[in-house]
Amino acid sequence: MKIPYNCLHSHGSVLFGARGGKIHTFSLPDGAHIATWQHPELDTHLAAGSKVDQAAEKEAEDAADPIITDAAEQPPAKRQKVTRVDALEGQNDEEKAGGKKARGKEQRKSKPIPVPDRPVVIQLTTTADGSHLVAVSAHDKAVWVFAHNGSGQLTQLSKRVMPKRPSSIKVSFDDQIIVADKFGDVYAMPLIKSSEPYTPPRKSSSSSSSIARKPFSKPAATVLTVHSKGNRAALAAQQRQLENPNNGTSDVRVEGPDFEHSLLLGHVSMLTALLLAEDGQGRRYIITSDRDEHIRVSRYIPQAHVIHGYCLGHREFVGAMTALEGRSNKSLLVSGGGDEDLLVWDWVDGKLLSKSSILTSVKEVAPQASSIAVSRLLSLEYPAESGAQTHIVAICEGISAIFTWQLFEKKTLTRPGVIQLPGKPLDITSSTTSSNAHLAVALHIPEDSDANVVPRSLHIVRLTIDDGRLAVDTILPVEDNVLEATEQDTSEKDIRTLFYTVEHLRKQPAGGAEEGDTEQ
């Protein structure tokens, strides 16, 4: 099967869709394809994968060939060499145990050909005016910046490799790229990479203390008067300092990325979501969530180290958040993750306003579900005649539906709705104008799905209102047939490994292995 779309973002009338190592742009009004950007390493990966497939086919042919099979049964000196990727590595038990001469049959094993990591774009976002697109590729931890002409054409401007894999990314009010990574750190870097060479900050090699040390002419001790390993190391350091013309005060370059960046804040747990928000007074904040059930509200640059407050109430990981727009909803936040409820917050005061069950809605589609993993939340202002209606849209990992609620003035989520899908949603994005609203959904349609289902990975849905709930008006065709033929093949197992990562945030019982804990 072909690798599906896995990450979406929209701005105005343009839809950006990541499909593996490619970014495609589409027109939202009619679904027409506009342009494609491809990761520079994608062809290398495909070529290496093709070599592995050819080697596997050759090995299968050799195994079925009676001549080669008989030759494999002969002693090593008579064995026929078939292909360069085969090697004789087997030894029988007697040879392993006592180093005796090999006797009997020898086992032939395949030496695997190394395949580069698959390039996959996992994050997409744009600047407020849509003039730039920012993307993250997972395997190389790279942040890419593109110029966008407003009509779907992209021009690559820069690539910056982060020390850890980014888990969430936003472009700030002042055109700073704010990057949260899987190890709990949040960085800021300029949208446009400077053409000037970047000089990392330096630190003193002699001591991290700000207290000046009095220079000395010679060590007070000698190799005859020190005994412990620590004292001998200190003596050696003093001798090296004497040999240094700067008397030990030279600077040492700090290790890190070779581009301008600054550390803003950090969690002690994996970061899962990042938002930038303003309160009713125009003050700016960074809102972050993590695997340890926390939502933290920090001040914006240059006081990002100051914690404004917390929103505490989740019992499982927080996987997704959305901040509501509009003057009356300026301080509202909706969050979800591993809990069975969505939580509505006044994030400025850290106050929990209401809870609404999402598990109840999920059971309408999957009655056997006992737990859920919310992977994406959106707030959508639907243009109604009586005024814009605020709706919350959610998808859950592995559940073939979109779940919707309307937010009322009492700050509660009511009128739950379900839009069933022909596949499992991997991502979702929305776009609204003065007259209509759209949802774009990236789907994974498993191989064992109903044969009548058209295996289309990208759907654009025009919305309408039915009894106060969001509903499907029309599904716009996406011109994807030509693109589908050029996309890389992949297995069901690889798709689940690459894109089904939210449920893995759930903590395992004591002693259980947690996937991704050592991932860099």
Side-chain angles (χ1 to χ4, degrees):
M1 64 185 304
K2 300 294 186 180
I3 191 167
Y5 289 89
N6 59 283
C7 184
L8 303 176
H9 182 78
S10 63
H11 187 277
S13 61
V14 178
L15 172 65
F16 304 90
R19 191 173 194 178
K22 297 179 181 179
I23 301 175
H24 300 290
T25 57
F26 298 89
S27 169
L28 271 172
D30 57 11
H33 177 253
I34 301 172
T36 297
W37 173 85
Q38 178 176 302
H39 194 289
E41 298 176 15
L42 184 59
D43 288 338
T44 302
H45 170 83
L46 294 177
S50 177
K51 290 181 180 179
V52 172
D53 292 340
Q54 293 173 6
E57 291 177 3
K58 181 65 175 175
E59 185 176 359
E61 293 174 0
D62 293 345
D65 191 327
I67 298 178
I68 297 177
T69 302
D70 291 342
E73 300 295 333
Q74 301 299 321
K78 297 181 181 180
R79 179 173 298 171
Q80 180 181 357
K81 185 176 181 181
V82 179
T83 174
R84 290 182 298 173
V85 298
D86 290 338
L88 302 178
E89 298 176 346
Q91 289 182 320
N92 60 20
D93 294 337
E94 287 186 358
E95 186 179 9
K96 289 182 180 179
K100 299 179 181 180
K101 293 182 180 180
R103 293 195 286 270
K105 298 179 182 179
E106 193 169 290
Q107 197 175 21
R108 185 176 65 181
K109 298 181 179 179
S110 295
K111 182 181 292 183
I113 297 175
V115 180
D117 288 337
R118 182 195 299 268
V120 176
V121 176
I122 58 172
Q123 298 282 335
L124 292 172
T125 191
T126 56
T127 54
D129 60 2
S131 62
H132 292 83
L133 173 75
V134 182
V136 172
S137 50
H139 78 293
D140 53 4
K141 311 179 186 73
V143 176
W144 303 81
V145 177
F146 304 86
H148 177 227
N149 70 346
S151 301
Q153 299 292 337
L154 300 175
T155 303
Q156 181 183 319
L157 298 181
S158 66
K159 172 188 177 182
R160 281 167 276 188
V161 177
M162 302 301 296
K164 303 295 181 183
R165 180 183 297 181
S167 58
S168 189
I169 190 167
K170 292 289 185 291
V171 181
S172 70
F173 322 91
D174 50 357
D175 285 344
Q176 292 279 317
I177 301 176
I178 311 298
V179 184
D181 67 30
K182 295 176 72 69
F183 279 68
D185 293 329
V186 178
Y187 293 88
M189 55 189 180
L191 176 68
I192 304 302
K193 185 178 180 181
S194 174
S195 59
E196 299 294 328
Y198 173 69
T199 303
R202 296 176 178 271
K203 65 179 181 179
S204 173
S205 62
S206 59
S207 173
S208 60
S209 172
S210 60
I211 301 176
R213 294 186 174 183
K214 182 179 179 180
F216 55 87
S217 58
K218 64 179 181 178
T222 70
V223 293
L224 301 178
T225 60
V226 299
H227 303 282
S228 70
K229 182 178 179 180
N231 287 343
R232 288 197 297 272
L235 177 60
Q238 291 177 356
Q239 291 172 334
R240 287 194 299 270
Q241 185 174 348
L242 282 176
E243 296 170 1
N244 189 335
N246 293 326
N247 201 27
T249 59
S250 62
D251 288 343
V252 176
R253 189 180 301 277
V254 178
E255 295 183 1
D258 59 353
F259 51 83
E260 183 181 352
H261 68 287
S262 57
L263 178 64
L264 300 182
L265 59 94
H267 284 228
V268 294
S269 179
M270 180 190 298
L271 281 173
T272 57
L274 165 72
L275 293 176
L276 303 177
E278 288 186 355
D279 63 12
Q281 306 300 318
R283 292 184 290 261
R284 297 171 176 176
Y285 298 86
I286 302 172
I287 306 176
T288 48
S289 64
D290 63 29
R291 189 183 186 182
D292 286 341
E293 308 95 38
H294 301 136
I295 299 175
R296 182 200 293 185
V297 181
S298 305
R299 294 183 183 176
Y300 188 65
I301 304 171
Q303 295 182 311
H305 61 283
V306 177
I307 299 175
H308 174 79
Y310 288 91
C311 298
L312 303 177
H314 282 277
R315 296 179 177 234
E316 293 285 351
F317 66 88
V318 184
M321 301 186 296
T322 182
L324 277 66
E325 302 295 334
R327 181 174 299 178
S328 61
N329 297 329
K330 203 71 172 179
S331 63
L332 293 186
L333 173 78
V334 180
S335 61
D339 295 293
E340 65 179 52
D341 296 318
L342 295 184
L343 278 60
V344 181
W345 304 90
D346 179 338
W347 59 264
V348 174
D349 295 333
K351 182 180 179 181
L352 178 61
L353 301 178
S354 65
K355 291 184 178 182
S356 297
S357 174
I358 185 174
L359 182 59
T360 301
S361 297
V362 167
K363 284 182 175 293
E364 295 182 21
V365 180
Q368 75 284 359
S370 59
S371 64
I372 55 165
V374 178
S375 57
R376 194 80 160 88
L377 283 170
L378 300 174
S379 58
L380 185 151
E381 297 290 320
Y382 188 86
E385 293 182 359
S386 58
Q389 299 177 358
T390 302
H391 294 263
I392 300 299
V393 179
I395 58 173
C396 300
E397 190 171 79
I399 306 298
S400 301
I402 300 172
F403 305 98
T404 67
W405 295 262
Q406 185 175 356
L407 179 70
F408 280 87
E409 293 182 359
K410 294 183 179 180
K411 315 307 179 188
T412 58
L413 300 179
T414 59
R415 294 180 179 172
V418 177
I419 300 174
Q420 296 202 18
L421 299 171
K424 303 180 186 302
L426 299 178
D427 200 7
I428 189 170
T429 188
S430 64
S431 175
T432 59
T433 66
S434 59
S435 58
N436 55 51
H438 293 83
L439 286 177
V441 189
L443 294 179
H444 164 221
I445 301 178
E447 293 177 336
D448 58 355
S449 296
D450 187 346
N452 295 324
V453 174
V454 178
R456 183 184 297 163
S457 178
L458 180 61
H459 289 247
I460 299 176
V461 180
R462 181 177 293 157
L463 298 172
T464 186
I465 294 293
D466 182 13
D467 193 24
R469 297 175 175 85
L470 291 178
V472 176
D473 182 10
T474 56
I475 298 179
L476 303 175
V478 179
E479 296 181 8
D480 195 39
N481 294 334
V482 176
L483 301 177
E484 180 83 14
T486 62
E487 293 296 342
Q488 59 193 117
D489 292 315
T490 190
S491 66
E492 187 80 20
K493 179 181 178 181
D494 286 346
I495 290 174
R496 293 190 174 276
T497 300
L498 288 169
F499 305 137
Y500 287 70
T501 59
V502 181
E503 179 60 38
H504 293 166
L505 296 173
R506 195 181 304 276
K507 295 177 182 177
Q508 304 298 318
E514 298 184 8
E515 297 188 32
D517 283 350
T518 60
E519 185 176 9
Q520 299 295 310

